[in-house]
Amino acid sequence: MQLLPISDPKFHNYGQILDGYDLDALLQVLKNETPIPETGTVYVASEPKLEALPIFEELRLRAYGGMPIQLGYCNGRNTKMNCLEYHRDSELNLGTEDFVLLLAKREDLVNGRLSSDKVVGFVVPKGVLIEVYATSLHYAPCMAKAGVGVQVLVALPRGTNGPKPEIAVKNDEDKLLFACNKWLLAHPSANEVNHGAIALIDGENINIADQI
């Protein structure tokens, strides 16, 4: 897989860069107050130390137009795709180090399945705030440099990734609902399959370890 910079025109189909924000305090808290696990990833949906910063309200008002939001993080040493998810709303990401996002489009789904050859890798530079569109399939950020773990802000509408609502399954999309505002497709080799995720990604489980 080729890893493209977010300056590549192809990224415009998946997201955009958000400028005009002072991100220094946010990056400092991310770097100093959010731990990186030795293996795998850790996800915290809502981190009070991030939400106590003045930029929390600015992102709520400007980036989300006044919607209730949460600021959390996804940190780790991941190199594999494993799964792809989508939300009904955009997600914002910001890293203390360069990181890689493996992305696909919902329109790439065929009869509810995705071929992994539709997945594109983008390198997001440290300190750059991006929006990942609601139409983009995504999952945990990957390392862009071998041995250098990532600390990535995850901003989403409040409640996202919380407990799954109890619903009567009435269509195929309902089967994908894995948590609040989280629809998940798994690769057959992903551990998430053991926790109820449906294996709907065909092809290889992309691993960028040899490219970083």
Side-chain angles (χ1 to χ4, degrees), residues 77-146:
R77 304 178 190 277
N78 181 49
T79 62
K80 297 181 73 173
M81 173 184 64
N82 290 320
C83 296
L84 292 169
E85 67 180 359
Y86 63 90
H87 314 295
R88 285 290 190 251
D89 316 84
S90 291
E91 176 177 317
L92 307 187
N93 294 141
L94 169 74
T96 62
E97 300 289 342
D98 295 356
F99 65 96
V100 173
L101 286 180
L102 301 177
L103 304 176
K105 299 288 293 178
R106 286 185 63 188
E107 63 204 52
D108 292 329
L109 295 169
V110 177
N111 297 322
R113 305 188 70 89
L114 181 79
S115 174
S116 64
D117 62 11
K118 295 292 187 181
V119 177
V120 183
F122 291 99
V123 180
V124 184
K126 64 180 181 181
V128 175
L129 179 66
I130 63 164
E131 174 187 1
V132 178
Y133 297 146
T135 50
S136 296
L137 301 169
H138 61 281
Y139 205 49
C142 297
M143 298 185 297
K145 301 173 185 176

Side-chain angles (χ1 to χ4, degrees), residues 84-88 173 176-177 181-185:
L84 292 169
E85 67 180 359
Y86 63 90
H87 314 295
R88 285 290 190 251
E173 187 182 46
L176 305 182
L177 189 62
N181 193 26
K182 177 191 184 85
W183 290 264
L184 186 68
L185 296 80

Side-chain angles (χ1 to χ4, degrees), residues 3-132:
L3 300 179
L4 303 173
I6 58 171
S7 58
D8 190 287
K10 290 183 180 178
F11 182 67
H12 298 165
N13 296 318
Y14 301 88
Q16 66 170 337
I17 296 171
L18 297 182
D19 55 19
Y21 295 91
D22 184 347
L23 305 171
D24 289 347
L26 197 54
L27 287 165
Q28 184 173 356
V29 172
L30 273 174
K31 188 173 184 64
N32 297 328
E33 303 291 341
T34 67
I36 303 175
E38 287 301 316
T39 59
T41 60
V42 60
Y43 172 69
V44 174
S46 178
E47 171 51 61
K49 293 177 181 178
L50 295 172
E51 295 174 355
L53 298 172
I55 197 170
F56 171 69
E57 184 69 359
E58 187 178 5
L59 289 172
R60 185 185 75 82
L61 293 175
R62 293 179 55 203
Y64 282 93
M67 290 176 58
I69 66 168
Q70 60 196 28
L71 295 186
Y73 60 89
C74 188
N75 296 355
R77 304 178 190 277
N78 181 49
T79 62
K80 297 181 73 173
M81 173 184 64
N82 290 320
C83 296
L84 292 169
E85 67 180 359
Y86 63 90
H87 314 295
R88 285 290 190 251
D89 316 84
S90 291
E91 176 177 317
L92 307 187
N93 294 141
L94 169 74
T96 62
E97 300 289 342
D98 295 356
F99 65 96
V100 173
L101 286 180
L102 301 177
L103 304 176
K105 299 288 293 178
R106 286 185 63 188
E107 63 204 52
D108 292 329
L109 295 169
V110 177
N111 297 322
R113 305 188 70 89
L114 181 79
S115 174
S116 64
D117 62 11
K118 295 292 187 181
V119 177
V120 183
F122 291 99
V123 180
V124 184
K126 64 180 181 181
V128 175
L129 179 66
I130 63 164
E131 174 187 1
V132 178

